[in-house]
Amino acid sequence: MELAYYSDYAVRLVNTEEPARGKDVLTSVDAVRDLFGTNKEAARRATDADVTRFRSVRARLRAVFEAADGGDETLSVNLLNSLLLEFPVSPQISGHNFRDEDGRPLWHMHLADHPSNATAGYAAIAAMGLAFHLTEYGVDRLGLCEAPPCRNTYLDTSTNRSRRYCSDRCATRANVAAYRARKRLEADRSEKTGLAAESTQRASASGER
């Protein structure tokens, strides 16, 4: 499993809440377990107490994205470092479930957590994955969706650093809104131009009399 994969853990957790819309799906232990995806063994460790703990980690991870989005690289890194210190992991070489044509293990790096609870395990993986993404691509690749009111997080892996939205849905909505705004502006300009022309014509006719 590539280390970059773990960065999705951070995005997945932060986006369980949409503050601007007043939405929060992280309300039960089942919601916590869903965040682990295919890692069923880790998910089984979750208890009701992890709901509150996960929300606390979520707020801290969002703060990392917000600092990055605001252009404060140092703050973003410091916030992430505090999570890395609090929730450490051990890199290990693993070959489970992956074999080459000769049946030999396909060795890859794996992050082994040593959690006291499900939150600690998830936070360790999310923070380390985000750290790898940040150092590989840059702090400015940690984004917040620009389609209001959405402020979901995303990781920009585009070649030209052009991503601005968390999803195709938000990109489409923003483009439609921008198109409609242009049309309204064009209509307003056309109306003003027409009124000005009409006023000029009336003034000219009055002068001729």
Side-chain angles (χ1 to χ4, degrees), residues 140-189:
D140 58 342
R141 293 302 189 105
L142 278 58
L144 292 176
C145 186
E146 293 184 15
C150 181
R151 295 293 282 169
N152 276 353
T153 61
Y154 63 85
L155 299 172
D156 185 2
T157 57
S158 63
T159 56
N160 57 355
R161 299 174 183 264
S162 61
R163 185 169 178 179
R164 297 167 57 200
Y165 307 106
C166 68
S167 64
D168 290 340
R169 182 185 67 176
C170 277
T172 299
R173 191 174 73 247
N175 289 334
V176 169
Y179 173 79
R180 289 175 176 170
R182 287 195 302 270
K183 287 300 182 181
R184 285 195 297 270
L185 182 60
E186 290 172 2
D188 289 343
R189 287 175 176 172

Tab-separated table of all heavy atoms in Angstrom, residues 140-189:
chain	number	residue	atom	x	y	z
A	140	ASP	N	0.491	24.050	-0.371
A	140	ASP	CA	-0.607	24.623	-1.141
A	140	ASP	C	-1.447	23.572	-1.865
A	140	ASP	O	-2.437	23.906	-2.515
A	140	ASP	CB	-0.086	25.645	-2.156
A	140	ASP	CG	0.917	25.060	-3.126
A	140	ASP	OD1	1.476	23.994	-2.843
A	140	ASP	OD2	1.157	25.678	-4.181
A	141	ARG	N	-1.065	22.303	-1.742
A	141	ARG	CA	-1.875	21.238	-2.337
A	141	ARG	C	-2.955	20.739	-1.379
A	141	ARG	O	-3.703	19.829	-1.706
A	141	ARG	CB	-0.980	20.067	-2.738
A	141	ARG	CG	0.000	20.373	-3.872
A	141	ARG	CD	-0.719	20.827	-5.132
A	141	ARG	NE	0.171	20.913	-6.280
A	141	ARG	CZ	0.217	20.045	-7.279
A	141	ARG	NH1	-0.612	19.025	-7.290
A	141	ARG	NH2	1.058	20.203	-8.271
A	142	LEU	N	-3.025	21.317	-0.186
A	142	LEU	CA	-4.103	21.013	0.754
A	142	LEU	C	-5.170	22.082	0.566
A	142	LEU	O	-4.954	23.254	0.887
A	142	LEU	CB	-3.600	21.033	2.199
A	142	LEU	CG	-2.889	19.779	2.735
A	142	LEU	CD1	-1.677	19.422	1.892
A	142	LEU	CD2	-2.468	19.998	4.179
A	143	GLY	N	-6.313	21.704	0.003
A	143	GLY	CA	-7.290	22.711	-0.382
A	143	GLY	C	-8.629	22.626	0.315
A	143	GLY	O	-9.008	21.595	0.860
A	144	LEU	N	-9.341	23.752	0.262
A	144	LEU	CA	-10.728	23.846	0.706
A	144	LEU	C	-11.570	24.223	-0.501
A	144	LEU	O	-11.214	25.134	-1.260
A	144	LEU	CB	-10.894	24.901	1.801
A	144	LEU	CG	-10.240	24.608	3.148
A	144	LEU	CD1	-10.427	25.803	4.084
A	144	LEU	CD2	-10.841	23.367	3.784
A	145	CYS	N	-12.670	23.535	-0.698
A	145	CYS	CA	-13.524	23.738	-1.862
A	145	CYS	C	-13.963	25.193	-1.969
A	145	CYS	O	-14.383	25.807	-0.981
A	145	CYS	CB	-14.740	22.817	-1.768
A	145	CYS	SG	-15.799	22.842	-3.241
A	146	GLU	N	-13.873	25.743	-3.184
A	146	GLU	CA	-14.228	27.144	-3.417
A	146	GLU	C	-15.674	27.345	-3.854
A	146	GLU	O	-16.078	28.470	-4.150
A	146	GLU	CB	-13.299	27.739	-4.487
A	146	GLU	CG	-11.854	27.845	-4.042
A	146	GLU	CD	-10.981	28.514	-5.084
A	146	GLU	OE1	-11.539	29.143	-6.014
A	146	GLU	OE2	-9.751	28.403	-4.977
A	147	ALA	N	-16.463	26.262	-3.886
A	147	ALA	CA	-17.864	26.381	-4.288
A	147	ALA	C	-18.725	26.633	-3.051
A	147	ALA	O	-19.003	25.703	-2.293
A	147	ALA	CB	-18.327	25.106	-4.994
A	148	PRO	N	-19.119	27.881	-2.790
A	148	PRO	CA	-19.916	28.159	-1.599
A	148	PRO	C	-21.271	27.468	-1.669
A	148	PRO	O	-21.832	27.331	-2.761
A	148	PRO	CB	-20.065	29.688	-1.627
A	148	PRO	CG	-19.890	30.057	-3.071
A	148	PRO	CD	-18.930	29.066	-3.634
A	149	PRO	N	-21.800	27.005	-0.512
A	149	PRO	CA	-21.229	27.134	0.825
A	149	PRO	C	-20.288	25.986	1.205
A	149	PRO	O	-19.859	25.884	2.342
A	149	PRO	CB	-22.477	27.103	1.709
A	149	PRO	CG	-23.379	26.135	0.998
A	149	PRO	CD	-23.145	26.382	-0.474
A	150	CYS	N	-19.981	25.109	0.268
A	150	CYS	CA	-19.142	23.950	0.576
A	150	CYS	C	-17.735	24.387	0.970
A	150	CYS	O	-17.149	25.252	0.332
A	150	CYS	CB	-19.057	23.019	-0.637
A	150	CYS	SG	-18.060	21.541	-0.345
A	151	ARG	N	-17.208	23.769	2.013
A	151	ARG	CA	-15.823	23.997	2.414
A	151	ARG	C	-15.145	22.657	2.692
A	151	ARG	O	-14.297	22.535	3.587
A	151	ARG	CB	-15.750	24.898	3.645
A	151	ARG	CG	-16.251	26.290	3.407
A	151	ARG	CD	-15.363	27.057	2.455
A	151	ARG	NE	-14.155	27.550	3.095
A	151	ARG	CZ	-13.128	28.063	2.445
A	151	ARG	NH1	-13.142	28.102	1.116
A	151	ARG	NH2	-12.067	28.519	3.098
A	152	ASN	N	-15.543	21.652	1.920
A	152	ASN	CA	-14.919	20.343	2.063
A	152	ASN	C	-13.447	20.417	1.680
A	152	ASN	O	-13.038	21.252	0.876
A	152	ASN	CB	-15.626	19.309	1.182
A	152	ASN	CG	-16.846	18.720	1.846
A	152	ASN	OD1	-17.121	18.975	3.013
A	152	ASN	ND2	-17.601	17.936	1.101
A	153	THR	N	-12.671	19.517	2.247
A	153	THR	CA	-11.250	19.483	1.954
A	153	THR	C	-10.959	18.579	0.759
A	153	THR	O	-11.759	17.716	0.406
A	153	THR	CB	-10.466	18.966	3.170
A	153	THR	OG1	-10.897	17.632	3.489
A	153	THR	CG2	-10.697	19.856	4.374
A	154	TYR	N	-9.805	18.795	0.152
A	154	TYR	CA	-9.359	17.916	-0.931
A	154	TYR	C	-7.841	17.990	-1.016
A	154	TYR	O	-7.204	18.914	-0.469
A	154	TYR	CB	-9.987	18.322	-2.270
A	154	TYR	CG	-9.599	19.695	-2.755
A	154	TYR	CD1	-8.416	19.901	-3.476
A	154	TYR	CD2	-10.406	20.804	-2.492
A	154	TYR	CE1	-8.058	21.162	-3.919
A	154	TYR	CE2	-10.049	22.066	-2.933
A	154	TYR	CZ	-8.881	22.247	-3.642
A	154	TYR	OH	-8.518	23.495	-4.068
A	155	LEU	N	-7.253	17.028	-1.690
A	155	LEU	CA	-5.811	16.994	-1.925
A	155	LEU	C	-5.578	17.181	-3.421
A	155	LEU	O	-6.049	16.388	-4.228
A	155	LEU	CB	-5.230	15.663	-1.456
A	155	LEU	CG	-5.412	15.370	0.043
A	155	LEU	CD1	-4.987	13.944	0.355
A	155	LEU	CD2	-4.625	16.361	0.882
A	156	ASP	N	-4.883	18.236	-3.771
A	156	ASP	CA	-4.652	18.558	-5.178
A	156	ASP	C	-3.444	17.782	-5.696
A	156	ASP	O	-2.315	18.008	-5.276
A	156	ASP	CB	-4.413	20.058	-5.319
A	156	ASP	CG	-4.292	20.494	-6.771
A	156	ASP	OD1	-4.430	19.637	-7.666
A	156	ASP	OD2	-4.066	21.692	-7.006
A	157	THR	N	-3.675	16.880	-6.629
A	157	THR	CA	-2.591	16.126	-7.255
A	157	THR	C	-2.482	16.456	-8.741
A	157	THR	O	-1.807	15.752	-9.484
A	157	THR	CB	-2.807	14.608	-7.078
A	157	THR	OG1	-4.088	14.251	-7.632
A	157	THR	CG2	-2.761	14.219	-5.614
A	158	SER	N	-3.140	17.536	-9.175
A	158	SER	CA	-3.086	17.926	-10.578
A	158	SER	C	-1.676	18.379	-10.941
A	158	SER	O	-0.922	18.865	-10.093
A	158	SER	CB	-4.081	19.061	-10.857
A	158	SER	OG	-3.741	20.218	-10.122
A	159	THR	N	-1.319	18.240	-12.203
A	159	THR	CA	0.031	18.586	-12.632
A	159	THR	C	0.289	20.087	-12.613
A	159	THR	O	1.428	20.522	-12.449
A	159	THR	CB	0.292	18.059	-14.060
A	159	THR	OG1	-0.712	18.581	-14.945
A	159	THR	CG2	0.238	16.543	-14.086
A	160	ASN	N	-0.760	20.888	-12.771
A	160	ASN	CA	-0.578	22.343	-12.834
A	160	ASN	C	-1.180	23.082	-11.637
A	160	ASN	O	-1.456	24.279	-11.712
A	160	ASN	CB	-1.175	22.894	-14.126
A	160	ASN	CG	-2.647	22.547	-14.271
A	160	ASN	OD1	-3.197	21.807	-13.451
A	160	ASN	ND2	-3.290	23.063	-15.311
A	161	ARG	N	-1.394	22.361	-10.549
A	161	ARG	CA	-1.917	22.968	-9.310
A	161	ARG	C	-3.205	23.758	-9.570
A	161	ARG	O	-3.391	24.879	-9.084
A	161	ARG	CB	-0.870	23.899	-8.687
A	161	ARG	CG	0.413	23.196	-8.293
A	161	ARG	CD	1.473	24.170	-7.828
A	161	ARG	NE	2.712	23.464	-7.514
A	161	ARG	CZ	3.072	23.069	-6.301
A	161	ARG	NH1	2.284	23.334	-5.275
A	161	ARG	NH2	4.201	22.427	-6.103
A	162	SER	N	-4.105	23.175	-10.326
A	162	SER	CA	-5.291	23.909	-10.776
A	162	SER	C	-6.583	23.520	-10.054
A	162	SER	O	-7.620	24.136	-10.292
A	162	SER	CB	-5.491	23.683	-12.278
A	162	SER	OG	-5.687	22.305	-12.551
A	163	ARG	N	-6.529	22.530	-9.196
A	163	ARG	CA	-7.781	22.077	-8.572
A	163	ARG	C	-8.315	23.126	-7.609
A	163	ARG	O	-7.570	23.709	-6.822
A	163	ARG	CB	-7.554	20.748	-7.833
A	163	ARG	CG	-8.841	20.165	-7.271
A	163	ARG	CD	-8.659	18.744	-6.778
A	163	ARG	NE	-9.888	18.229	-6.201
A	163	ARG	CZ	-10.024	17.008	-5.699
A	163	ARG	NH1	-8.992	16.176	-5.705
A	163	ARG	NH2	-11.172	16.617	-5.188
A	164	ARG	N	-9.629	23.343	-7.658
A	164	ARG	CA	-10.262	24.345	-6.796
A	164	ARG	C	-11.484	23.801	-6.063
A	164	ARG	O	-12.005	24.459	-5.159
A	164	ARG	CB	-10.686	25.553	-7.638
A	164	ARG	CG	-9.539	26.286	-8.308
A	164	ARG	CD	-10.061	27.251	-9.346
A	164	ARG	NE	-10.995	28.218	-8.787
A	164	ARG	CZ	-11.866	28.909	-9.509
A	164	ARG	NH1	-11.941	28.720	-10.814
A	164	ARG	NH2	-12.681	29.764	-8.932
A	165	TYR	N	-11.950	22.617	-6.456
A	165	TYR	CA	-13.182	22.090	-5.881
A	165	TYR	C	-12.975	20.665	-5.363
A	165	TYR	O	-12.108	19.934	-5.851
A	165	TYR	CB	-14.299	22.112	-6.926
A	165	TYR	CG	-14.475	23.464	-7.566
A	165	TYR	CD1	-14.041	23.699	-8.877
A	165	TYR	CD2	-15.038	24.518	-6.859
A	165	TYR	CE1	-14.183	24.949	-9.462
A	165	TYR	CE2	-15.177	25.769	-7.441
A	165	TYR	CZ	-14.755	25.984	-8.736
A	165	TYR	OH	-14.884	27.224	-9.299
A	166	CYS	N	-13.819	20.281	-4.413
A	166	CYS	CA	-13.664	18.968	-3.786
A	166	CYS	C	-14.219	17.846	-4.645
A	166	CYS	O	-13.857	16.680	-4.453
A	166	CYS	CB	-14.351	18.963	-2.413
A	166	CYS	SG	-16.174	19.094	-2.486
A	167	SER	N	-15.097	18.179	-5.594
A	167	SER	CA	-15.755	17.140	-6.388
A	167	SER	C	-16.226	17.715	-7.719
A	167	SER	O	-16.293	18.942	-7.898
A	167	SER	CB	-16.960	16.575	-5.627
A	167	SER	OG	-17.949	17.591	-5.442
A	168	ASP	N	-16.570	16.826	-8.630
A	168	ASP	CA	-17.126	17.265	-9.918
A	168	ASP	C	-18.457	17.984	-9.714
A	168	ASP	O	-18.789	18.920	-10.450
A	168	ASP	CB	-17.326	16.056	-10.845
A	168	ASP	CG	-16.002	15.478	-11.332
A	168	ASP	OD1	-14.988	16.192	-11.280
A	168	ASP	OD2	-15.991	14.305	-11.743
A	169	ARG	N	-19.220	17.544	-8.726
A	169	ARG	CA	-20.518	18.172	-8.454
A	169	ARG	C	-20.336	19.640	-8.089
A	169	ARG	O	-21.030	20.525	-8.612
A	169	ARG	CB	-21.237	17.437	-7.323
A	169	ARG	CG	-22.625	17.996	-7.018
A	169	ARG	CD	-23.249	17.309	-5.820
A	169	ARG	NE	-22.526	17.620	-4.600
A	169	ARG	CZ	-22.899	17.218	-3.389
A	169	ARG	NH1	-23.962	16.449	-3.250
A	169	ARG	NH2	-22.197	17.547	-2.326
A	170	CYS	N	-19.387	19.909	-7.206
A	170	CYS	CA	-19.148	21.295	-6.799
A	170	CYS	C	-18.569	22.109	-7.943
A	170	CYS	O	-18.889	23.289	-8.096
A	170	CYS	CB	-18.211	21.333	-5.591
A	170	CYS	SG	-19.059	21.076	-4.009
A	171	ALA	N	-17.707	21.504	-8.752
A	171	ALA	CA	-17.138	22.211	-9.899
A	171	ALA	C	-18.234	22.604	-10.879
A	171	ALA	O	-18.265	23.740	-11.381
A	171	ALA	CB	-16.097	21.333	-10.589
A	172	THR	N	-19.158	21.675	-11.133
A	172	THR	CA	-20.267	21.958	-12.045
A	172	THR	C	-21.164	23.052	-11.491
A	172	THR	O	-21.563	23.971	-12.215
A	172	THR	CB	-21.096	20.680	-12.281
A	172	THR	OG1	-20.265	19.677	-12.878
A	172	THR	CG2	-22.282	20.961	-13.185
A	173	ARG	N	-21.478	22.960	-10.199
A	173	ARG	CA	-22.332	23.969	-9.581
A	173	ARG	C	-21.694	25.355	-9.643
A	173	ARG	O	-22.362	26.351	-9.934
A	173	ARG	CB	-22.611	23.588	-8.120
A	173	ARG	CG	-23.702	24.444	-7.490
A	173	ARG	CD	-24.098	23.982	-6.105
A	173	ARG	NE	-23.074	24.297	-5.125
A	173	ARG	CZ	-22.344	23.401	-4.493
A	173	ARG	NH1	-22.502	22.115	-4.746
A	173	ARG	NH2	-21.445	23.768	-3.599
A	174	ALA	N	-20.386	25.427	-9.404
A	174	ALA	CA	-19.685	26.706	-9.444
A	174	ALA	C	-19.656	27.267	-10.860
A	174	ALA	O	-19.835	28.478	-11.067
A	174	ALA	CB	-18.263	26.539	-8.919
A	175	ASN	N	-19.459	26.399	-11.830
A	175	ASN	CA	-19.422	26.850	-13.231
A	175	ASN	C	-20.783	27.360	-13.685
A	175	ASN	O	-20.871	28.364	-14.404
A	175	ASN	CB	-18.963	25.706	-14.134
A	175	ASN	CG	-17.495	25.379	-13.956
A	175	ASN	OD1	-16.709	26.230	-13.562
A	175	ASN	ND2	-17.122	24.139	-14.236
A	176	VAL	N	-21.842	26.667	-13.260
A	176	VAL	CA	-23.189	27.108	-13.606
A	176	VAL	C	-23.490	28.459	-12.962
A	176	VAL	O	-24.056	29.356	-13.595
A	176	VAL	CB	-24.234	26.055	-13.165
A	176	VAL	CG1	-25.654	26.618	-13.280
A	176	VAL	CG2	-24.107	24.787	-14.003
A	177	ALA	N	-23.088	28.608	-11.691
A	177	ALA	CA	-23.316	29.876	-10.990
A	177	ALA	C	-22.556	31.014	-11.665
A	177	ALA	O	-23.083	32.123	-11.821
A	177	ALA	CB	-22.887	29.738	-9.532
A	178	ALA	N	-21.320	30.738	-12.083
A	178	ALA	CA	-20.521	31.766	-12.756
A	178	ALA	C	-21.136	32.137	-14.101
A	178	ALA	O	-21.164	33.313	-14.483
A	178	ALA	CB	-19.094	31.257	-12.947
A	179	TYR	N	-21.650	31.134	-14.821
A	179	TYR	CA	-22.294	31.381	-16.122
A	179	TYR	C	-23.530	32.259	-15.948
A	179	TYR	O	-23.741	33.222	-16.695
A	179	TYR	CB	-22.669	30.043	-16.756
A	179	TYR	CG	-23.488	30.175	-18.015
A	179	TYR	CD1	-22.891	30.491	-19.234
A	179	TYR	CD2	-24.871	29.978	-17.983
A	179	TYR	CE1	-23.653	30.624	-20.391
A	179	TYR	CE2	-25.632	30.100	-19.135
A	179	TYR	CZ	-25.019	30.422	-20.327
A	179	TYR	OH	-25.779	30.545	-21.465
A	180	ARG	N	-24.344	31.918	-14.954
A	180	ARG	CA	-25.559	32.701	-14.718
A	180	ARG	C	-25.226	34.128	-14.298
A	180	ARG	O	-25.921	35.084	-14.684
A	180	ARG	CB	-26.406	32.020	-13.655
A	180	ARG	CG	-27.053	30.723	-14.137
A	180	ARG	CD	-27.780	30.010	-13.019
A	180	ARG	NE	-28.468	28.815	-13.519
A	180	ARG	CZ	-29.029	27.905	-12.735
A	180	ARG	NH1	-28.995	28.044	-11.409
A	180	ARG	NH2	-29.636	26.848	-13.267
A	181	ALA	N	-24.156	34.274	-13.513
A	181	ALA	CA	-23.748	35.613	-13.086
A	181	ALA	C	-23.303	36.443	-14.287
A	181	ALA	O	-23.615	37.640	-14.381
A	181	ALA	CB	-22.611	35.510	-12.066
A	182	ARG	N	-22.583	35.816	-15.217
A	182	ARG	CA	-22.155	36.533	-16.425
A	182	ARG	C	-23.355	36.953	-17.259
A	182	ARG	O	-23.398	38.070	-17.796
A	182	ARG	CB	-21.222	35.648	-17.254
A	182	ARG	CG	-19.828	35.480	-16.662
A	182	ARG	CD	-18.867	34.917	-17.696
A	182	ARG	NE	-19.311	33.633	-18.221
A	182	ARG	CZ	-18.980	32.467	-17.685
A	182	ARG	NH1	-18.229	32.429	-16.590
A	182	ARG	NH2	-19.389	31.330	-18.237
A	183	LYS	N	-24.330	36.056	-17.370
A	183	LYS	CA	-25.525	36.370	-18.147
A	183	LYS	C	-26.302	37.525	-17.529
A	183	LYS	O	-26.829	38.395	-18.235
A	183	LYS	CB	-26.407	35.127	-18.265
A	183	LYS	CG	-25.872	34.060	-19.202
A	183	LYS	CD	-25.731	34.604	-20.614
A	183	LYS	CE	-25.244	33.565	-21.588
A	183	LYS	NZ	-25.079	34.117	-22.956
A	184	ARG	N	-26.397	37.538	-16.191
A	184	ARG	CA	-27.087	38.644	-15.516
A	184	ARG	C	-26.355	39.954	-15.756
A	184	ARG	O	-26.979	40.996	-15.980
A	184	ARG	CB	-27.191	38.355	-14.015
A	184	ARG	CG	-28.242	37.314	-13.650
A	184	ARG	CD	-28.546	37.360	-12.160
A	184	ARG	NE	-27.363	37.026	-11.359
A	184	ARG	CZ	-27.052	35.805	-10.978
A	184	ARG	NH1	-27.825	34.776	-11.332
A	184	ARG	NH2	-25.979	35.587	-10.239
A	185	LEU	N	-25.029	39.897	-15.703
A	185	LEU	CA	-24.238	41.104	-15.924
A	185	LEU	C	-24.405	41.609	-17.356
A	185	LEU	O	-24.560	42.817	-17.590
A	185	LEU	CB	-22.763	40.799	-15.649
A	185	LEU	CG	-21.789	41.986	-15.790
A	185	LEU	CD1	-22.175	43.092	-14.828
A	185	LEU	CD2	-20.357	41.511	-15.524
A	186	GLU	N	-24.402	40.681	-18.306
A	186	GLU	CA	-24.593	41.063	-19.701
A	186	GLU	C	-25.973	41.663	-19.915
A	186	GLU	O	-26.136	42.642	-20.651
A	186	GLU	CB	-24.411	39.834	-20.599
A	186	GLU	CG	-22.977	39.334	-20.668
A	186	GLU	CD	-22.859	38.008	-21.408
A	186	GLU	OE1	-23.917	37.519	-21.895
A	186	GLU	OE2	-21.755	37.463	-21.499
A	187	ALA	N	-26.973	41.079	-19.256
A	187	ALA	CA	-28.339	41.596	-19.380
A	187	ALA	C	-28.444	42.992	-18.792
A	187	ALA	O	-29.094	43.884	-19.356
A	187	ALA	CB	-29.320	40.650	-18.701
A	188	ASP	N	-27.805	43.191	-17.634
A	188	ASP	CA	-27.826	44.513	-16.997
A	188	ASP	C	-27.139	45.550	-17.889
A	188	ASP	O	-27.633	46.677	-18.040
A	188	ASP	CB	-27.119	44.456	-15.640
A	188	ASP	CG	-27.925	43.687	-14.611
A	188	ASP	OD1	-29.126	43.486	-14.845
A	188	ASP	OD2	-27.338	43.275	-13.584
A	189	ARG	N	-26.015	45.171	-18.454
A	189	ARG	CA	-25.294	46.097	-19.335
A	189	ARG	C	-26.115	46.425	-20.576
A	189	ARG	O	-26.159	47.570	-21.026
A	189	ARG	CB	-23.959	45.488	-19.745
A	189	ARG	CG	-22.922	45.458	-18.626
A	189	ARG	CD	-21.672	44.733	-19.067
A	189	ARG	NE	-20.645	44.779	-18.035
A	189	ARG	CZ	-19.506	44.092	-18.098
A	189	ARG	NH1	-19.269	43.304	-19.146
A	189	ARG	NH2	-18.620	44.188	-17.123
